[in-house]
Amino acid sequence: MTIATFNPQLRLLNALRANAKPIMTFLGLPSFRTAQIVAQTGLDGIIIDCEHGHISDDSMHSATAAIASLGVSPLVRLRMTHSDLIKRALDAGAHGIVVPQINTAAEAQTVVSYSKFPPQGLRGQGSAFPAFTHSIDLPTYIKTANETLITCIQIETKQGVENVEEICAVPGVDMIFIGPNDLALSLLGYVPARGDEPEFVEAIDKIVAAARKHGKWVARLSNNGALCREHLKVFDTVALSYDIRALQNWYTGELQVARS
């Protein structure tokens, strides 16, 4: 991300480059309207969750277009590192991808190779849709995609932490995302972490240090606004909870008031 190709449509990328501490969230519901509603809240990016969310290929396409049309950056979290999943997300017009459970540098290199057009990678070209969500013509998209798409990988296992230096050194990886729940399960055997367990704290510190050393942006999940504010003192961006949790929490809280 050293080449300064600028596109005003790429809200998340531009905020990261400006060190403006952007805030994202996760979208797990397969609804074009939910995507629109969440995109109108002031967020900078929305991660369409094809790993844990109820998101089909059709829903991913619709959400990507809806989010981008409102000036917010859609990212897609994939199920795994398969080339066809990466291709589908980027061909739908995602401004970036988030790939879970990366444990080795070789896995990170695989993700990068499928995310980049030749000569930097192996990505094929055949879709007109990405140019729409980037608000540019297709030749310009093809020319600039390798510089402007965010390739984000998740480190959320003990093995990933052990290999974090090598993973962060991989060229073409732009961002490291810490999945605190899976990281806690892997390191501690339970979830959620209290947050003060030495092994858990040391792992997060190690990931952040490696990302900084190798010039990668670093992100994490935050469960509420107060935690977002604290985490943004350390991290370049955070994901503020999840659309499903937001619905649950609002109804739970309001019902408690109504029945009190």
Side-chain angles (χ1 to χ4, degrees):
M1 287 299 176
T2 57
I3 301 173
T5 298
F6 178 78
N7 179 346
Q9 180 72 11
L10 304 180
R11 180 167 170 171
L12 181 64
L13 175 62
N14 295 334
L16 286 166
R17 285 175 168 174
N19 193 30
K21 302 291 185 174
I23 297 176
M24 307 179 286
T25 195
F26 281 95
L27 185 77
L29 294 173
S31 167
F32 172 84
R33 294 303 182 193
T34 302
Q36 286 183 311
I37 291 166
V38 176
Q40 286 185 315
T41 61
L43 290 159
D44 301 292
I46 298 175
I47 303 169
I48 302 162
D49 190 5
C50 294
E51 182 192 16
H52 293 301
H54 184 56
I55 307 287
S56 67
D57 189 76
D58 283 351
S59 297
M60 181 266 290
H61 266 264
S62 296
T64 298
I67 292 163
S69 72
L70 291 166
V72 178
S73 288
L75 281 72
V76 175
R77 179 160 73 171
L78 309 174
R79 296 192 298 274
M80 56 186 71
T81 61
H82 284 188
S83 61
D84 59 327
L85 298 177
I86 294 173
K87 183 190 300 182
R88 290 298 292 171
L90 296 180
D91 280 359
H95 290 187
I97 55 171
V98 180
V99 186
Q101 300 280 338
I102 296 299
N103 296 312
T104 67
E107 291 174 355
Q109 289 165 347
T110 295
V111 170
V112 171
S113 70
Y114 293 141
S115 304
K116 305 288 186 184
F117 288 126
Q120 289 93 338
L122 302 171
R123 181 185 172 192
Q125 191 282 318
S127 173
F129 300 137
F132 301 158
T133 65
H134 287 239
S135 293
I136 53 179
D137 59 72
L138 188 57
T140 302
Y141 174 81
I142 296 170
K143 181 179 179 180
T144 60
N146 285 359
E147 306 164 14
T148 56
L149 292 170
I150 298 171
T151 301
C152 174
I153 57 100
Q154 288 191 241
I155 294 182
E156 48 190 345
T157 66
K158 185 175 182 179
Q159 185 182 8
V161 174
E162 290 171 350
N163 294 322
V164 67
E165 281 284 344
E166 294 83 0
I167 292 170
C168 288
V170 173
V173 170
D174 303 305
M175 183 188 296
I176 308 298
F177 191 102
I178 297 174
N181 290 329
D182 278 340
L183 186 61
L185 278 174
S186 180
L187 295 176
L188 307 173
Y190 59 85
V191 69
R194 293 190 310 273
D196 61 354
E197 298 92 341
E199 188 176 5
F200 184 73
V201 173
E202 289 168 11
I204 290 178
D205 289 346
K206 183 177 180 180
I207 295 168
V208 172
R212 295 279 178 246
K213 176 181 176 181
H214 294 283
K216 314 299 186 185
W217 292 308
V218 60
R220 66 161 292 159
L221 175 70
S222 298
N223 287 332
N224 55 54
L227 286 173
C228 274
R229 187 171 59 245
E230 289 302 308
H231 291 154
L232 285 172
K233 295 175 182 178
V234 175
F235 294 85
D236 298 296
T237 181
V238 296
L240 172 58
S241 194
Y242 209 103
D243 61 335
I244 298 166
R245 293 196 190 104
L247 280 170
Q248 288 177 317
N249 290 342
W250 188 89
Y251 276 104
T252 300
E254 294 304 310
L255 281 168
Q256 287 175 349
V257 172
R259 290 168 172 161
S260 62

